[in-house]
Amino acid sequence: MLKVEGLNAGYGSVNILWDISFTLEDGEIVAVLGSNGAGKTTMVRAVTGMLKPSSGSVVFNGEELAKKNSRVILNKGIVQVPEGRQLFTDMTVLENLQMGAFNKETKAHFQENLKKAYEWFPKLEERAKQAAGTLSGGEQQMVAVARAIIGEPRLLILDEPSLGLAPNIVDDILKVASTLARNDGLSVLLVEQDITKALASADRGYVIENGHIALEGTAKELQANEHVKKAYLGI
Ligand code: ATP
C-alpha cells in the first residue's frame, strides 16, 4: 500500500535523507529505528508532506503523493501522531478528540469512533472535560493516538510514542495499534528509538543511520542481527 523509493530530503541546502526506500503492506506494522538525529522524523515529514522531498517517490495505494501538500496526504488516510503529541493544551480532551474528525466523513462517524476511543483508553472518558495540558504525559499520548484514530487512518504513523513515558503506557498504546492492524487492516509505521519495544510489536523494520537505510528485515531477523544487538540493544 505504501512504497517509498529513492527519497532524498533535507532542510535548505543540507540533505538529511539519502535514497530512502521502504514498503508497508495493509495490516502491517513496520518499525523505523535509529538513534537521535538519524533522520527518522525528517522521513516522517517527507512522507506526510510537511517537508517537500527534493527527489524520490511516495506511492500510496497506487497514487503518487511526493509533491502533494500535507492536507491532501491527510485526506488520503495518512495520519500521524507527531513526536511531542502537539495537543491543544488549553482545550479539553473532548475538544482535542473532535479535532481528529477533520473532514465530512470522519465528522459523520465521530460519535461512533469516540465510543471506540473511550473503550481503548477508558481514562479519556473520565478526563473528557479536563484541559488536555493538565493530563499526565501518558494520558496526553493517549489523546494524541485517539485523535489520530478518530481521523480514520489507513496508515497511522506513530513518531516516538515511547518518549518519556512509563513502559506500561507505551504497551497499552502499542496494543491498540496492533489490534487495529490485525482486525481492521490498519497499517502502522512505528518510529522508535526504543528498539526492543518496537521490534516486539512490529512485523518488519528498517534501521536508519545518518539518513541512510542501514539495515532491513523481519523483526526476528533484526533482533538476531549482530550490529543491532551491539549498537542498539547493548548485548
Ligand atoms: P530524534 O529521535 O532526536 O527525533 P530523528 O532520527 O528523528 O531524531 P531528525 O529529527 O529527522 O532525526 O533529524 C535529522 C537531522 O536533521 C539532524 O541532524 C537535525 O539536526 C536535522 N534537522 C531536523 N530538523 C531540522 C530543521 N528544521 N532544520 C535544519 N535541520 C534540521
Side-chain angles (χ1 to χ4, degrees), residues 11 16-17 34-43 45 83 159-160 191 193:
Y11 303 97
I16 301 290
L17 299 181
S35 44
N36 248 325
K40 303 181 301 299
T41 298
T42 304
M43 196 199 83
R45 301 186 76 219
E83 187 176 351
D159 195 355
E160 308 238 6
V191 178
Q193 267 186 60

Side-chain angles (χ1 to χ4, degrees), residues 97-205:
L97 295 178
Q98 278 163 342
M99 301 296 284
F102 62 90
N103 60 16
K104 223 164 128 188
E105 213 167 42
T106 50
K107 281 190 172 87
H109 302 159
F110 177 68
Q111 285 307 331
E112 192 186 316
N113 287 330
L114 180 68
K115 199 167 154 242
K116 284 191 211 154
Y118 286 160
E119 282 164 20
W120 304 317
F121 303 117
K123 268 264 159 68
L124 299 189
E125 189 165 14
E126 292 167 29
R127 310 265 186 230
K129 298 216 169 86
Q130 198 169 317
T134 64
L135 264 53
S136 72
E139 289 162 353
Q140 290 192 25
Q141 185 67 277
M142 291 176 197
V143 176
V145 172
R147 180 179 62 182
I149 296 174
I150 282 169
E152 301 188 337
R154 300 171 77 183
L155 165 59
L156 178 69
I157 303 180
L158 297 172
D159 195 355
E160 308 238 6
S162 76
L163 213 64
L165 298 187
N168 60 330
I169 292 166
V170 182
D171 290 341
D172 286 350
I173 287 167
L174 293 180
K175 212 155 84 191
V176 169
S178 297
T179 305
L180 289 168
R182 306 291 169 248
N183 296 350
D184 299 351
L186 174 73
S187 303
V188 181
L189 194 65
L190 174 59
V191 178
E192 258 302 338
Q193 267 186 60
D194 185 336
I195 292 190
T196 308
K197 266 216 184 309
L199 289 179
S201 303
D203 300 303
R204 291 189 298 118

